[in-house]
Amino acid sequence: MFTVVISSKKVREDCQKKYKRFLEPLFDSEKFVFCDWDITGDSIDSAVPELKHYAAENKEWRAVIVEDGNDFGNGKIIEDEQRRQKNPYDFVNCTVRVDDLKSVDEVSGFRAEKYAAYEKAVSNPLVKLGTWLCEGCVKNKPELDEKFLEVSRECGDEYKAWLDSTGTDICDAEYDLCRNKKYEIVSQFYNPDLITFNRPNQVLCIAPRTFDDDKLFSKLAWAKTDEFDYSVFYDDNLYPNKLRYLIYDIPYFDHQNYESEYVNFLLFLLIFAGNEYPVDVLRANRVYKINCETDDNALSTFLSLYDFKLSNTGSYLARKINELNNRTPQILSESELNDYFLFDSNVPVRLDDDFDQELLKAEYRKIGLSRDCPTEEMDLWKAQFTRIIKNFKFFMKQPRRSLSRASDYVRENDTANLEKASAINKFQEEDVEEKLYEDERKMIETRIQSVCNTKPYFKAFSDSDKEIRRTIRTRMTKKTTIILSLVVLLIYLAGFIPLFVSNLKEDGALSVASTMTICAGLAMAAFGFTCLFFLRSKLVKKIRAFNEKMNEIVNLVFNGMSRSAEYLGKICDILRINSVLNYLHQDHDETSIQCSVYKNHIEQIEKERRECGYIFSKFINKKSVVTDIEDFEPYEYDYTKDVEYEYKVPSRLWSERNISFMQRDNVVAVPVNFVKSISVEREELFNV
């Protein structure tokens, strides 16, 4: 079942930050999550803001409330009387019980103490949170007789007479009045309609306790107790019946073992949050003490090996400092100078993929002698122009993206690797300065042009499109061509009819006339086809001109990208060389700086060791023998950088262990081998 751990911000940060290195394998985001609890909140949304989100995501879930006694204002632990007492859940410490009433004369004092306890209990943050999660301790308003409510206001003869007349036991009557009073008080701050998410299946409370009173224990040990005498703190404190109560004994805040016991408490908390427990272990309205038994030998081995790895890392850094102090000065050769500092940057300014430029050209081989034969030229051109413009828009995205990547490249390479810069002598520094002046001159002389401004390109395309459409509209259709040809043929034949008629009787003359007619007809047909081809070639020429314009624009774009690459390359060189010169002009000692960085890392490691030793001083054996030395080599970090690293516990130190959990026969696997078992025992909270 998914678990929501509701705790103070301090408990969450102690688990996730301060003591994380000792608890890390126990974190499982799929099993549980932490939610901060603001005890000043006047609603469930303000008290636990994140709860609604996790409750909505999980139909079945449980809430684990950590009542740790934190001062939420400054994050310090307050060891007040409540935490020091045997039952830290008894917020009101009411001493009277309804079963002790013998007469009406005792009612006034009983009511005064009981009602005062209710008024005090309603201010307890745990009561508010528990009520929001479980509903109130009295879910429905008790149905009491109006006459009974009226006569019971005064504890006098009228109330006594009413009890005698109805045969009502005074304990039962006062019990009903207490239930009615509890309902009225809880209803003042609790509105069940405001709870819009699924309530938890289980609600468990865990409270650290610093109680230590041998006298009381000895008194209880010899006293005769009965289950009837068990404390009714839950009733006096207005706790809902669904709550289950756990306590974990922990030393006083200033005790020498406080830190280690507190880590054990967090260890138990994470194990408890990540595992199911047998539901019959915890009874309602009873308080149970948690015992988390640890394996001291396993814990000692675990901590000693972790300390050994930290110690090895510190020794490694100390050796690095010694090497720096004793190394001979470096000499940088001319070839190394060129390879490290004086090379020309090659800034990549290119398209993502090889773009097919044919997609930007118009096809004209399907154009016939007439406008609509063999295909409709206007539709053909519109389709092609639309396709070309779409492809051109895609094509023009590439230069902008390429320049953006090139700018990122410049930012990533604008600083030289200064590891060898300290070896540059004064003559090599002159070469570096000459390279800087030369690059600055070339950058100024490099003429760049904008390749991303598409406005003039589309204007040229629009002009060509209008011109081609105008040419297409002036061409004759197939129908017009045929009709015009027939008309010309008829006119031509009509002109030759008189010649045929006048030469019908002369055979030689008729033959000559026929030959002239045919030759003239062929010449006229050739002239007509020549005209049609001329009109076609005029359209083809304009489409070719469009393609040539497109080629010019594409070449212009590629040329602009090439110049931009050259320009950005010079910028990159100038920035890189300036970083070298700035480094050389600084008054510093590279060895001292690097040694200082190493010392900072050593101090951080020693701080980790001191904190670990402070928490677990009795478990760490600094003289332990490590057989597998390779697993405890120094942590692999770049210690040349002044960065605060996280020194986690080596993964090989974590190992799984089966433990009895809450019951002997209930076994769970935990990813830490220094926990033996987690058991519970009921607290003897009897009124004696």
Side-chain angles (χ1 to χ4, degrees), residues 110-125:
F110 167 79
R111 287 186 186 177
E113 186 170 349
K114 204 74 169 176
Y115 289 2
Y118 296 158
E119 294 288 350
K120 181 181 179 182
V122 80
S123 64
N124 183 1

Side-chain angles (χ1 to χ4, degrees), residues 338-557:
N338 291 325
D339 292 341
Y340 289 121
F341 306 113
L342 301 185
F343 61 90
D344 291 327
S345 298
N346 183 18
V347 179
V349 182
R350 54 181 178 271
L351 302 184
D352 290 337
D353 302 304
D354 293 334
F355 187 82
D356 187 3
Q357 296 185 37
E358 294 299 319
L359 297 175
L360 301 178
K361 295 181 180 180
E363 177 62 50
Y364 51 81
R365 285 177 294 183
K366 293 183 180 181
I367 295 176
L369 296 177
S370 59
R371 189 173 68 188
D372 55 353
C373 182
T375 184
E376 177 58 51
E377 294 173 356
M378 186 62 76
D379 294 340
L380 176 64
W381 170 250
K382 287 180 179 179
Q384 288 198 96
F385 186 74
T386 301
R387 172 183 59 80
I388 291 170
I389 294 300
K390 180 180 178 182
N391 291 331
F392 182 76
K393 289 180 179 179
F394 174 76
F395 170 75
M396 289 306 297
K397 290 180 181 179
Q398 307 304 312
R400 176 172 53 81
R401 294 173 179 175
S402 182
L403 288 174
S404 177
R405 288 194 299 271
S407 299
D408 293 337
Y409 176 88
V410 172
R411 282 192 291 269
E412 293 170 0
N413 296 273
D414 61 356
T415 302
N417 184 352
L418 302 177
E419 185 177 352
K420 293 185 176 293
S422 58
I424 295 177
N425 58 43
K426 62 179 181 178
F427 302 111
Q428 291 172 331
E429 185 177 349
E430 290 180 1
D431 295 336
V432 173
E433 291 176 346
E434 289 178 3
K435 169 69 173 170
L436 175 63
Y437 299 147
E438 182 67 18
D439 287 339
E440 288 177 343
R441 183 184 61 80
K442 290 181 178 179
M443 185 187 72
I444 294 172
E445 293 176 353
T446 302
R447 300 180 62 185
I448 61 173
Q449 60 190 45
S450 174
V451 295
C452 298
N453 183 16
T454 60
K455 187 175 181 180
Y457 304 152
F458 284 109
K459 185 178 184 305
F461 296 155
S462 178
D463 293 342
S464 297
D465 176 49
K466 292 177 182 178
E467 187 65 25
I468 291 173
R469 294 191 186 207
R470 189 182 302 112
T471 303
I472 292 174
R473 283 193 290 268
T474 60
R475 284 168 51 75
M476 294 186 296
T477 63
K478 178 181 178 181
K479 181 178 179 181
T480 302
T481 302
I482 293 174
I483 293 174
L484 184 58
S485 299
L486 291 175
V487 170
V488 171
L489 179 60
L490 291 175
I491 294 174
Y492 167 75
L493 292 177
F496 278 88
I497 288 175
L499 180 61
F500 275 99
V501 173
S502 62
N503 292 290
L504 284 174
K505 295 179 179 180
E506 299 180 10
D507 294 336
L510 181 61
S511 177
V512 172
S514 298
T515 301
M516 291 177 62
T517 303
I518 292 172
C519 290
L522 291 174
M524 184 180 65
F527 177 76
F529 277 108
T530 300
C531 292
L532 291 174
F533 273 109
F534 174 77
L535 293 174
R536 178 185 180 277
S537 64
K538 184 178 178 182
L539 176 60
V540 170
K541 184 177 180 181
K542 292 186 177 180
I543 294 177
R544 285 179 175 173
F546 174 82
N547 289 341
E548 291 175 0
K549 174 62 71 176
M550 182 61 74
N551 280 335
E552 291 178 5
I553 292 174
V554 171
N555 292 334
L556 190 65
V557 170

